[in-house]
Amino acid sequence: IDDRTTDPDKGAIEDLIDSIRRHESKVVWSYDDNNGEADNDNDIRVPQAMSFLTEEVVKVFAHTHPSLREDWGKMTLTWATSCAVRHIACRSFQIFRCVLTTLDPQMLADMLARLSNTIADDNNDYLTFSMEILTTIKTIVEALEPVDLIKYPQLFWTTAACLDTIFEREFMESLSMLERLLDKLDLSDPAVIKLLIGSQPPKWEGMFEGLQSP
């Protein structure tokens, strides 16, 4: 890259590399730094340094690899849903939330399969893992436009099922997912209701009487 080039900015890239070499706080995080410092319901719950670094990496390498964000997103979900090392799996979900990109049915199916094995489990490691999945799903719901969200009715049923968890943290995150769904799905539209009811999981136990008992 020529020194006088502004796009990409060679100086900015070299500064980023130096920051990594010096382990500056803006590009590193500790092993135990799970959720960053922010604690509001709009936060994607990742270390601030991770959010910054992933965006910088995408910005730099997109010049030679334009599909990096999409490819990285798919790879992080593969790791998140298949890696046996819980910490790496959780970090992979966090990186996916940072580079948030397109979603396809298989990616969602893999996430929901893992969630079904961990939600409401009293093992603390499982609770941490299920929270990462719930937060990732919440972030996806928030990012999707209504016309795209309705293509994934299983997100509604997942949320409805997760509200039955016995753990408060999982319940609150599921409630936050529901709020975002209700913001985007018009439940006064008979066509939407018909689609959702028609997509009820075949193995759902008992009659579904609504999100709130009458």
Side-chain angles (χ1 to χ4, degrees), residues 119-155:
I119 191 76
D121 194 299
D122 57 7
N123 182 305
N124 191 59
D125 283 345
Y126 284 173
L127 176 59
T128 300
F129 190 62
S130 66
M131 284 296 297
E132 289 294 342
I133 302 176
L134 290 173
T135 302
T136 300
I137 294 174
K138 179 186 72 174
T139 306
I140 290 170
V141 170
E142 194 164 29
L144 288 174
E145 295 295 327
V147 67
D148 296 317
L149 182 59
I150 197 63
K151 297 176 184 177
Y152 300 101
Q154 59 267 54
L155 288 172

PDB file of all heavy atoms in Angstrom, residues 119-155:
ATOM      1  N   ILE A 119     -30.782 -25.079  27.730  1.00  0.00           N
ATOM      2  CA  ILE A 119     -31.707 -24.178  28.400  1.00  0.00           C
ATOM      3  C   ILE A 119     -32.275 -24.843  29.653  1.00  0.00           C
ATOM      4  O   ILE A 119     -32.596 -26.031  29.662  1.00  0.00           O
ATOM      5  CB  ILE A 119     -32.858 -23.752  27.442  1.00  0.00           C
ATOM      6  CG1 ILE A 119     -33.678 -22.614  28.042  1.00  0.00           C
ATOM      7  CG2 ILE A 119     -33.725 -24.937  27.087  1.00  0.00           C
ATOM      8  CD1 ILE A 119     -33.023 -21.274  27.982  1.00  0.00           C
ATOM      9  N   ALA A 120     -32.337 -24.070  30.746  1.00  0.00           N
ATOM     10  CA  ALA A 120     -32.915 -24.523  32.022  1.00  0.00           C
ATOM     11  C   ALA A 120     -32.114 -25.646  32.688  1.00  0.00           C
ATOM     12  O   ALA A 120     -32.627 -26.333  33.563  1.00  0.00           O
ATOM     13  CB  ALA A 120     -34.372 -24.951  31.842  1.00  0.00           C
ATOM     14  N   ASP A 121     -30.853 -25.821  32.285  1.00  0.00           N
ATOM     15  CA  ASP A 121     -29.998 -26.827  32.924  1.00  0.00           C
ATOM     16  C   ASP A 121     -29.285 -26.163  34.095  1.00  0.00           C
ATOM     17  O   ASP A 121     -28.775 -25.051  33.974  1.00  0.00           O
ATOM     18  CB  ASP A 121     -28.971 -27.358  31.916  1.00  0.00           C
ATOM     19  CG  ASP A 121     -28.285 -28.618  32.408  1.00  0.00           C
ATOM     20  OD1 ASP A 121     -27.617 -28.554  33.470  1.00  0.00           O
ATOM     21  OD2 ASP A 121     -28.402 -29.655  31.735  1.00  0.00           O
ATOM     22  N   ASP A 122     -29.239 -26.838  35.237  1.00  0.00           N
ATOM     23  CA  ASP A 122     -28.661 -26.207  36.427  1.00  0.00           C
ATOM     24  C   ASP A 122     -27.139 -26.267  36.475  1.00  0.00           C
ATOM     25  O   ASP A 122     -26.520 -25.809  37.438  1.00  0.00           O
ATOM     26  CB  ASP A 122     -29.238 -26.821  37.713  1.00  0.00           C
ATOM     27  CG  ASP A 122     -29.024 -28.327  37.803  1.00  0.00           C
ATOM     28  OD1 ASP A 122     -28.319 -28.885  36.938  1.00  0.00           O
ATOM     29  OD2 ASP A 122     -29.575 -28.942  38.732  1.00  0.00           O
ATOM     30  N   ASN A 123     -26.519 -26.798  35.425  1.00  0.00           N
ATOM     31  CA  ASN A 123     -25.061 -26.753  35.325  1.00  0.00           C
ATOM     32  C   ASN A 123     -24.656 -25.324  34.956  1.00  0.00           C
ATOM     33  O   ASN A 123     -25.132 -24.774  33.964  1.00  0.00           O
ATOM     34  CB  ASN A 123     -24.587 -27.733  34.243  1.00  0.00           C
ATOM     35  CG  ASN A 123     -23.081 -27.780  34.108  1.00  0.00           C
ATOM     36  OD1 ASN A 123     -22.432 -26.761  33.900  1.00  0.00           O
ATOM     37  ND2 ASN A 123     -22.521 -28.974  34.219  1.00  0.00           N
ATOM     38  N   ASN A 124     -23.781 -24.708  35.757  1.00  0.00           N
ATOM     39  CA  ASN A 124     -23.442 -23.299  35.554  1.00  0.00           C
ATOM     40  C   ASN A 124     -22.805 -23.045  34.189  1.00  0.00           C
ATOM     41  O   ASN A 124     -23.044 -22.007  33.574  1.00  0.00           O
ATOM     42  CB  ASN A 124     -22.492 -22.820  36.659  1.00  0.00           C
ATOM     43  CG  ASN A 124     -22.323 -21.312  36.649  1.00  0.00           C
ATOM     44  OD1 ASN A 124     -23.292 -20.563  36.789  1.00  0.00           O
ATOM     45  ND2 ASN A 124     -21.095 -20.851  36.466  1.00  0.00           N
ATOM     46  N   ASP A 125     -22.004 -24.003  33.706  1.00  0.00           N
ATOM     47  CA  ASP A 125     -21.403 -23.842  32.379  1.00  0.00           C
ATOM     48  C   ASP A 125     -22.478 -23.813  31.304  1.00  0.00           C
ATOM     49  O   ASP A 125     -22.392 -23.044  30.338  1.00  0.00           O
ATOM     50  CB  ASP A 125     -20.422 -24.988  32.103  1.00  0.00           C
ATOM     51  CG  ASP A 125     -19.106 -24.804  32.830  1.00  0.00           C
ATOM     52  OD1 ASP A 125     -18.844 -23.684  33.299  1.00  0.00           O
ATOM     53  OD2 ASP A 125     -18.339 -25.779  32.928  1.00  0.00           O
ATOM     54  N   TYR A 126     -23.488 -24.644  31.462  1.00  0.00           N
ATOM     55  CA  TYR A 126     -24.582 -24.674  30.498  1.00  0.00           C
ATOM     56  C   TYR A 126     -25.376 -23.371  30.548  1.00  0.00           C
ATOM     57  O   TYR A 126     -25.851 -22.877  29.522  1.00  0.00           O
ATOM     58  CB  TYR A 126     -25.511 -25.850  30.765  1.00  0.00           C
ATOM     59  CG  TYR A 126     -24.970 -27.186  30.318  1.00  0.00           C
ATOM     60  CD1 TYR A 126     -25.637 -28.373  30.629  1.00  0.00           C
ATOM     61  CD2 TYR A 126     -23.794 -27.274  29.574  1.00  0.00           C
ATOM     62  CE1 TYR A 126     -25.142 -29.606  30.215  1.00  0.00           C
ATOM     63  CE2 TYR A 126     -23.298 -28.488  29.163  1.00  0.00           C
ATOM     64  CZ  TYR A 126     -23.974 -29.659  29.491  1.00  0.00           C
ATOM     65  OH  TYR A 126     -23.479 -30.864  29.073  1.00  0.00           O
ATOM     66  N   LEU A 127     -25.534 -22.820  31.754  1.00  0.00           N
ATOM     67  CA  LEU A 127     -26.269 -21.563  31.891  1.00  0.00           C
ATOM     68  C   LEU A 127     -25.551 -20.447  31.147  1.00  0.00           C
ATOM     69  O   LEU A 127     -26.178 -19.658  30.432  1.00  0.00           O
ATOM     70  CB  LEU A 127     -26.421 -21.197  33.367  1.00  0.00           C
ATOM     71  CG  LEU A 127     -27.096 -19.857  33.682  1.00  0.00           C
ATOM     72  CD1 LEU A 127     -28.497 -19.811  33.090  1.00  0.00           C
ATOM     73  CD2 LEU A 127     -27.150 -19.623  35.194  1.00  0.00           C
ATOM     74  N   THR A 128     -24.223 -20.405  31.284  1.00  0.00           N
ATOM     75  CA  THR A 128     -23.429 -19.406  30.569  1.00  0.00           C
ATOM     76  C   THR A 128     -23.585 -19.581  29.071  1.00  0.00           C
ATOM     77  O   THR A 128     -23.764 -18.612  28.321  1.00  0.00           O
ATOM     78  CB  THR A 128     -21.944 -19.530  30.950  1.00  0.00           C
ATOM     79  OG1 THR A 128     -21.790 -19.315  32.353  1.00  0.00           O
ATOM     80  CG2 THR A 128     -21.095 -18.512  30.202  1.00  0.00           C
ATOM     81  N   PHE A 129     -23.546 -20.830  28.617  1.00  0.00           N
ATOM     82  CA  PHE A 129     -23.645 -21.120  27.189  1.00  0.00           C
ATOM     83  C   PHE A 129     -25.030 -20.760  26.647  1.00  0.00           C
ATOM     84  O   PHE A 129     -25.149 -20.147  25.586  1.00  0.00           O
ATOM     85  CB  PHE A 129     -23.346 -22.599  26.947  1.00  0.00           C
ATOM     86  CG  PHE A 129     -23.193 -22.969  25.508  1.00  0.00           C
ATOM     87  CD1 PHE A 129     -22.188 -22.414  24.733  1.00  0.00           C
ATOM     88  CD2 PHE A 129     -24.055 -23.882  24.914  1.00  0.00           C
ATOM     89  CE1 PHE A 129     -22.034 -22.758  23.395  1.00  0.00           C
ATOM     90  CE2 PHE A 129     -23.914 -24.228  23.582  1.00  0.00           C
ATOM     91  CZ  PHE A 129     -22.898 -23.673  22.826  1.00  0.00           C
ATOM     92  N   SER A 130     -26.073 -21.135  27.380  1.00  0.00           N
ATOM     93  CA  SER A 130     -27.430 -20.830  26.914  1.00  0.00           C
ATOM     94  C   SER A 130     -27.664 -19.328  26.869  1.00  0.00           C
ATOM     95  O   SER A 130     -28.363 -18.822  25.976  1.00  0.00           O
ATOM     96  CB  SER A 130     -28.475 -21.510  27.800  1.00  0.00           C
ATOM     97  OG  SER A 130     -28.473 -20.981  29.109  1.00  0.00           O
ATOM     98  N   MET A 131     -27.059 -18.581  27.805  1.00  0.00           N
ATOM     99  CA  MET A 131     -27.191 -17.125  27.781  1.00  0.00           C
ATOM    100  C   MET A 131     -26.547 -16.541  26.533  1.00  0.00           C
ATOM    101  O   MET A 131     -27.061 -15.584  25.943  1.00  0.00           O
ATOM    102  CB  MET A 131     -26.576 -16.513  29.041  1.00  0.00           C
ATOM    103  CG  MET A 131     -27.435 -16.661  30.290  1.00  0.00           C
ATOM    104  SD  MET A 131     -29.011 -15.781  30.154  1.00  0.00           S
ATOM    105  CE  MET A 131     -28.432 -14.080  29.994  1.00  0.00           C
ATOM    106  N   GLU A 132     -25.420 -17.097  26.115  1.00  0.00           N
ATOM    107  CA  GLU A 132     -24.769 -16.626  24.891  1.00  0.00           C
ATOM    108  C   GLU A 132     -25.670 -16.862  23.680  1.00  0.00           C
ATOM    109  O   GLU A 132     -25.785 -16.004  22.795  1.00  0.00           O
ATOM    110  CB  GLU A 132     -23.423 -17.328  24.684  1.00  0.00           C
ATOM    111  CG  GLU A 132     -22.331 -16.914  25.661  1.00  0.00           C
ATOM    112  CD  GLU A 132     -21.913 -15.461  25.498  1.00  0.00           C
ATOM    113  OE1 GLU A 132     -22.199 -14.852  24.436  1.00  0.00           O
ATOM    114  OE2 GLU A 132     -21.295 -14.921  26.429  1.00  0.00           O
ATOM    115  N   ILE A 133     -26.326 -18.024  23.642  1.00  0.00           N
ATOM    116  CA  ILE A 133     -27.212 -18.323  22.517  1.00  0.00           C
ATOM    117  C   ILE A 133     -28.422 -17.398  22.543  1.00  0.00           C
ATOM    118  O   ILE A 133     -28.811 -16.837  21.506  1.00  0.00           O
ATOM    119  CB  ILE A 133     -27.673 -19.796  22.562  1.00  0.00           C
ATOM    120  CG1 ILE A 133     -26.466 -20.741  22.527  1.00  0.00           C
ATOM    121  CG2 ILE A 133     -28.596 -20.086  21.375  1.00  0.00           C
ATOM    122  CD1 ILE A 133     -26.834 -22.207  22.654  1.00  0.00           C
ATOM    123  N   LEU A 134     -29.014 -17.207  23.715  1.00  0.00           N
ATOM    124  CA  LEU A 134     -30.188 -16.336  23.830  1.00  0.00           C
ATOM    125  C   LEU A 134     -29.852 -14.903  23.408  1.00  0.00           C
ATOM    126  O   LEU A 134     -30.623 -14.257  22.689  1.00  0.00           O
ATOM    127  CB  LEU A 134     -30.721 -16.356  25.266  1.00  0.00           C
ATOM    128  CG  LEU A 134     -31.379 -17.663  25.724  1.00  0.00           C
ATOM    129  CD1 LEU A 134     -31.692 -17.602  27.213  1.00  0.00           C
ATOM    130  CD2 LEU A 134     -32.642 -17.953  24.924  1.00  0.00           C
ATOM    131  N   THR A 135     -28.707 -14.417  23.868  1.00  0.00           N
ATOM    132  CA  THR A 135     -28.299 -13.054  23.500  1.00  0.00           C
ATOM    133  C   THR A 135     -28.043 -12.950  22.000  1.00  0.00           C
ATOM    134  O   THR A 135     -28.368 -11.936  21.369  1.00  0.00           O
ATOM    135  CB  THR A 135     -27.034 -12.646  24.279  1.00  0.00           C
ATOM    136  OG1 THR A 135     -27.296 -12.728  25.682  1.00  0.00           O
ATOM    137  CG2 THR A 135     -26.619 -11.220  23.937  1.00  0.00           C
ATOM    138  N   THR A 136     -27.489 -14.007  21.417  1.00  0.00           N
ATOM    139  CA  THR A 136     -27.236 -14.007  19.975  1.00  0.00           C
ATOM    140  C   THR A 136     -28.555 -13.985  19.200  1.00  0.00           C
ATOM    141  O   THR A 136     -28.708 -13.227  18.235  1.00  0.00           O
ATOM    142  CB  THR A 136     -26.407 -15.240  19.575  1.00  0.00           C
ATOM    143  OG1 THR A 136     -25.156 -15.218  20.277  1.00  0.00           O
ATOM    144  CG2 THR A 136     -26.128 -15.253  18.068  1.00  0.00           C
ATOM    145  N   ILE A 137     -29.512 -14.791  19.639  1.00  0.00           N
ATOM    146  CA  ILE A 137     -30.817 -14.805  18.981  1.00  0.00           C
ATOM    147  C   ILE A 137     -31.494 -13.451  19.123  1.00  0.00           C
ATOM    148  O   ILE A 137     -32.085 -12.925  18.163  1.00  0.00           O
ATOM    149  CB  ILE A 137     -31.705 -15.924  19.565  1.00  0.00           C
ATOM    150  CG1 ILE A 137     -31.115 -17.291  19.238  1.00  0.00           C
ATOM    151  CG2 ILE A 137     -33.134 -15.817  19.019  1.00  0.00           C
ATOM    152  CD1 ILE A 137     -31.832 -18.445  19.898  1.00  0.00           C
ATOM    153  N   LYS A 138     -31.394 -12.852  20.306  1.00  0.00           N
ATOM    154  CA  LYS A 138     -31.982 -11.529  20.525  1.00  0.00           C
ATOM    155  C   LYS A 138     -31.362 -10.510  19.570  1.00  0.00           C
ATOM    156  O   LYS A 138     -32.082  -9.677  18.989  1.00  0.00           O
ATOM    157  CB  LYS A 138     -31.754 -11.090  21.970  1.00  0.00           C
ATOM    158  CG  LYS A 138     -32.313  -9.712  22.296  1.00  0.00           C
ATOM    159  CD  LYS A 138     -31.935  -9.277  23.707  1.00  0.00           C
ATOM    160  CE  LYS A 138     -30.459  -8.923  23.808  1.00  0.00           C
ATOM    161  NZ  LYS A 138     -30.107  -8.375  25.133  1.00  0.00           N
ATOM    162  N   THR A 139     -30.057 -10.575  19.394  1.00  0.00           N
ATOM    163  CA  THR A 139     -29.363  -9.646  18.504  1.00  0.00           C
ATOM    164  C   THR A 139     -29.801  -9.849  17.052  1.00  0.00           C
ATOM    165  O   THR A 139     -29.964  -8.879  16.298  1.00  0.00           O
ATOM    166  CB  THR A 139     -27.836  -9.839  18.620  1.00  0.00           C
ATOM    167  OG1 THR A 139     -27.449  -9.726  19.992  1.00  0.00           O
ATOM    168  CG2 THR A 139     -27.087  -8.792  17.809  1.00  0.00           C
ATOM    169  N   ILE A 140     -30.008 -11.114  16.673  1.00  0.00           N
ATOM    170  CA  ILE A 140     -30.470 -11.422  15.319  1.00  0.00           C
ATOM    171  C   ILE A 140     -31.874 -10.859  15.094  1.00  0.00           C
ATOM    172  O   ILE A 140     -32.156 -10.233  14.067  1.00  0.00           O
ATOM    173  CB  ILE A 140     -30.466 -12.947  15.082  1.00  0.00           C
ATOM    174  CG1 ILE A 140     -29.025 -13.460  14.999  1.00  0.00           C
ATOM    175  CG2 ILE A 140     -31.238 -13.306  13.817  1.00  0.00           C
ATOM    176  CD1 ILE A 140     -28.904 -14.971  15.002  1.00  0.00           C
ATOM    177  N   VAL A 141     -32.767 -11.070  16.069  1.00  0.00           N
ATOM    178  CA  VAL A 141     -34.137 -10.559  15.962  1.00  0.00           C
ATOM    179  C   VAL A 141     -34.121  -9.043  15.807  1.00  0.00           C
ATOM    180  O   VAL A 141     -34.855  -8.480  14.994  1.00  0.00           O
ATOM    181  CB  VAL A 141     -34.963 -10.964  17.204  1.00  0.00           C
ATOM    182  CG1 VAL A 141     -36.303 -10.228  17.223  1.00  0.00           C
ATOM    183  CG2 VAL A 141     -35.191 -12.469  17.231  1.00  0.00           C
ATOM    184  N   GLU A 142     -33.264  -8.402  16.574  1.00  0.00           N
ATOM    185  CA  GLU A 142     -33.181  -6.951  16.525  1.00  0.00           C
ATOM    186  C   GLU A 142     -32.672  -6.460  15.162  1.00  0.00           C
ATOM    187  O   GLU A 142     -33.083  -5.403  14.688  1.00  0.00           O
ATOM    188  CB  GLU A 142     -32.260  -6.453  17.634  1.00  0.00           C
ATOM    189  CG  GLU A 142     -32.346  -4.971  17.888  1.00  0.00           C
ATOM    190  CD  GLU A 142     -31.736  -4.581  19.220  1.00  0.00           C
ATOM    191  OE1 GLU A 142     -30.809  -5.263  19.687  1.00  0.00           O
ATOM    192  OE2 GLU A 142     -32.196  -3.592  19.798  1.00  0.00           O
ATOM    193  N   ALA A 143     -31.811  -7.250  14.539  1.00  0.00           N
ATOM    194  CA  ALA A 143     -31.198  -6.824  13.277  1.00  0.00           C
ATOM    195  C   ALA A 143     -32.089  -7.089  12.063  1.00  0.00           C
ATOM    196  O   ALA A 143     -31.988  -6.390  11.055  1.00  0.00           O
ATOM    197  CB  ALA A 143     -29.856  -7.528  13.093  1.00  0.00           C
ATOM    198  N   LEU A 144     -32.966  -8.090  12.155  1.00  0.00           N
ATOM    199  CA  LEU A 144     -33.783  -8.456  11.007  1.00  0.00           C
ATOM    200  C   LEU A 144     -34.931  -7.472  10.788  1.00  0.00           C
ATOM    201  O   LEU A 144     -35.553  -7.002  11.736  1.00  0.00           O
ATOM    202  CB  LEU A 144     -34.366  -9.860  11.205  1.00  0.00           C
ATOM    203  CG  LEU A 144     -33.408 -11.050  11.092  1.00  0.00           C
ATOM    204  CD1 LEU A 144     -34.118 -12.340  11.462  1.00  0.00           C
ATOM    205  CD2 LEU A 144     -32.829 -11.155   9.677  1.00  0.00           C
ATOM    206  N   GLU A 145     -35.208  -7.193   9.553  1.00  0.00           N
ATOM    207  CA  GLU A 145     -36.381  -6.409   9.194  1.00  0.00           C
ATOM    208  C   GLU A 145     -37.622  -7.294   9.344  1.00  0.00           C
ATOM    209  O   GLU A 145     -37.523  -8.523   9.199  1.00  0.00           O
ATOM    210  CB  GLU A 145     -36.271  -5.905   7.751  1.00  0.00           C
ATOM    211  CG  GLU A 145     -35.132  -4.925   7.503  1.00  0.00           C
ATOM    212  CD  GLU A 145     -35.328  -3.624   8.262  1.00  0.00           C
ATOM    213  OE1 GLU A 145     -36.496  -3.211   8.445  1.00  0.00           O
ATOM    214  OE2 GLU A 145     -34.318  -3.034   8.673  1.00  0.00           O
ATOM    215  N   PRO A 146     -38.790  -6.695   9.624  1.00  0.00           N
ATOM    216  CA  PRO A 146     -40.013  -7.507   9.800  1.00  0.00           C
ATOM    217  C   PRO A 146     -40.272  -8.495   8.674  1.00  0.00           C
ATOM    218  O   PRO A 146     -40.662  -9.642   8.919  1.00  0.00           O
ATOM    219  CB  PRO A 146     -41.107  -6.442   9.891  1.00  0.00           C
ATOM    220  CG  PRO A 146     -40.414  -5.256  10.483  1.00  0.00           C
ATOM    221  CD  PRO A 146     -39.032  -5.271   9.882  1.00  0.00           C
ATOM    222  N   VAL A 147     -40.042  -8.064   7.424  1.00  0.00           N
ATOM    223  CA  VAL A 147     -40.305  -8.939   6.287  1.00  0.00           C
ATOM    224  C   VAL A 147     -39.373 -10.147   6.275  1.00  0.00           C
ATOM    225  O   VAL A 147     -39.725 -11.221   5.753  1.00  0.00           O
ATOM    226  CB  VAL A 147     -40.167  -8.146   4.958  1.00  0.00           C
ATOM    227  CG1 VAL A 147     -38.730  -7.713   4.731  1.00  0.00           C
ATOM    228  CG2 VAL A 147     -40.692  -8.956   3.774  1.00  0.00           C
ATOM    229  N   ASP A 148     -38.182 -10.003   6.859  1.00  0.00           N
ATOM    230  CA  ASP A 148     -37.246 -11.129   6.954  1.00  0.00           C
ATOM    231  C   ASP A 148     -37.505 -11.949   8.211  1.00  0.00           C
ATOM    232  O   ASP A 148     -37.371 -13.181   8.202  1.00  0.00           O
ATOM    233  CB  ASP A 148     -35.804 -10.609   6.963  1.00  0.00           C
ATOM    234  CG  ASP A 148     -35.428  -9.922   5.661  1.00  0.00           C
ATOM    235  OD1 ASP A 148     -35.784 -10.461   4.603  1.00  0.00           O
ATOM    236  OD2 ASP A 148     -34.799  -8.848   5.704  1.00  0.00           O
ATOM    237  N   LEU A 149     -37.885 -11.282   9.284  1.00  0.00           N
ATOM    238  CA  LEU A 149     -38.128 -11.970  10.551  1.00  0.00           C
ATOM    239  C   LEU A 149     -39.248 -12.991  10.437  1.00  0.00           C
ATOM    240  O   LEU A 149     -39.168 -14.084  11.006  1.00  0.00           O
ATOM    241  CB  LEU A 149     -38.454 -10.936  11.637  1.00  0.00           C
ATOM    242  CG  LEU A 149     -38.684 -11.474  13.055  1.00  0.00           C
ATOM    243  CD1 LEU A 149     -37.452 -12.212  13.559  1.00  0.00           C
ATOM    244  CD2 LEU A 149     -39.026 -10.322  13.998  1.00  0.00           C
ATOM    245  N   ILE A 150     -40.291 -12.652   9.688  1.00  0.00           N
ATOM    246  CA  ILE A 150     -41.437 -13.546   9.566  1.00  0.00           C
ATOM    247  C   ILE A 150     -41.081 -14.835   8.837  1.00  0.00           C
ATOM    248  O   ILE A 150     -41.817 -15.829   8.896  1.00  0.00           O
ATOM    249  CB  ILE A 150     -42.606 -12.820   8.848  1.00  0.00           C
ATOM    250  CG1 ILE A 150     -43.932 -13.558   9.086  1.00  0.00           C
ATOM    251  CG2 ILE A 150     -42.315 -12.687   7.368  1.00  0.00           C
ATOM    252  CD1 ILE A 150     -44.353 -13.610  10.528  1.00  0.00           C
ATOM    253  N   LYS A 151     -39.923 -14.852   8.160  1.00  0.00           N
ATOM    254  CA  LYS A 151     -39.457 -16.065   7.482  1.00  0.00           C
ATOM    255  C   LYS A 151     -38.932 -17.093   8.471  1.00  0.00           C
ATOM    256  O   LYS A 151     -38.692 -18.246   8.103  1.00  0.00           O
ATOM    257  CB  LYS A 151     -38.352 -15.721   6.480  1.00  0.00           C
ATOM    258  CG  LYS A 151     -38.784 -14.810   5.340  1.00  0.00           C
ATOM    259  CD  LYS A 151     -37.603 -14.451   4.464  1.00  0.00           C
ATOM    260  CE  LYS A 151     -37.985 -13.469   3.361  1.00  0.00           C
ATOM    261  NZ  LYS A 151     -36.806 -13.057   2.552  1.00  0.00           N
ATOM    262  N   TYR A 152     -38.745 -16.670   9.713  1.00  0.00           N
ATOM    263  CA  TYR A 152     -38.214 -17.569  10.741  1.00  0.00           C
ATOM    264  C   TYR A 152     -39.195 -17.670  11.906  1.00  0.00           C
ATOM    265  O   TYR A 152     -38.909 -17.219  13.019  1.00  0.00           O
ATOM    266  CB  TYR A 152     -36.855 -17.063  11.229  1.00  0.00           C
ATOM    267  CG  TYR A 152     -35.804 -16.970  10.154  1.00  0.00           C
ATOM    268  CD1 TYR A 152     -35.490 -15.747   9.563  1.00  0.00           C
ATOM    269  CD2 TYR A 152     -35.126 -18.105   9.719  1.00  0.00           C
ATOM    270  CE1 TYR A 152     -34.528 -15.658   8.566  1.00  0.00           C
ATOM    271  CE2 TYR A 152     -34.162 -18.028   8.715  1.00  0.00           C
ATOM    272  CZ  TYR A 152     -33.866 -16.806   8.148  1.00  0.00           C
ATOM    273  OH  TYR A 152     -32.910 -16.723   7.157  1.00  0.00           O
ATOM    274  N   PRO A 153     -40.374 -18.262  11.683  1.00  0.00           N
ATOM    275  CA  PRO A 153     -41.376 -18.363  12.760  1.00  0.00           C
ATOM    276  C   PRO A 153     -40.883 -19.174  13.951  1.00  0.00           C
ATOM    277  O   PRO A 153     -41.415 -19.038  15.058  1.00  0.00           O
ATOM    278  CB  PRO A 153     -42.566 -19.042  12.067  1.00  0.00           C
ATOM    279  CG  PRO A 153     -41.968 -19.763  10.892  1.00  0.00           C
ATOM    280  CD  PRO A 153     -40.838 -18.906  10.437  1.00  0.00           C
ATOM    281  N   GLN A 154     -39.843 -20.013  13.725  1.00  0.00           N
ATOM    282  CA  GLN A 154     -39.318 -20.796  14.833  1.00  0.00           C
ATOM    283  C   GLN A 154     -38.729 -19.910  15.930  1.00  0.00           C
ATOM    284  O   GLN A 154     -38.609 -20.334  17.082  1.00  0.00           O
ATOM    285  CB  GLN A 154     -38.285 -21.819  14.357  1.00  0.00           C
ATOM    286  CG  GLN A 154     -37.061 -21.246  13.646  1.00  0.00           C
ATOM    287  CD  GLN A 154     -37.222 -21.185  12.155  1.00  0.00           C
ATOM    288  OE1 GLN A 154     -38.176 -20.612  11.672  1.00  0.00           O
ATOM    289  NE2 GLN A 154     -36.263 -21.757  11.426  1.00  0.00           N
ATOM    290  N   LEU A 155     -38.385 -18.662  15.581  1.00  0.00           N
ATOM    291  CA  LEU A 155     -37.880 -17.738  16.596  1.00  0.00           C
ATOM    292  C   LEU A 155     -38.974 -17.404  17.612  1.00  0.00           C
ATOM    293  O   LEU A 155     -38.698 -17.241  18.800  1.00  0.00           O
ATOM    294  CB  LEU A 155     -37.353 -16.459  15.939  1.00  0.00           C
ATOM    295  CG  LEU A 155     -36.047 -16.592  15.164  1.00  0.00           C
ATOM    296  CD1 LEU A 155     -35.739 -15.304  14.400  1.00  0.00           C
ATOM    297  CD2 LEU A 155     -34.896 -16.946  16.099  1.00  0.00           C
TER     298      LEU A 155
END
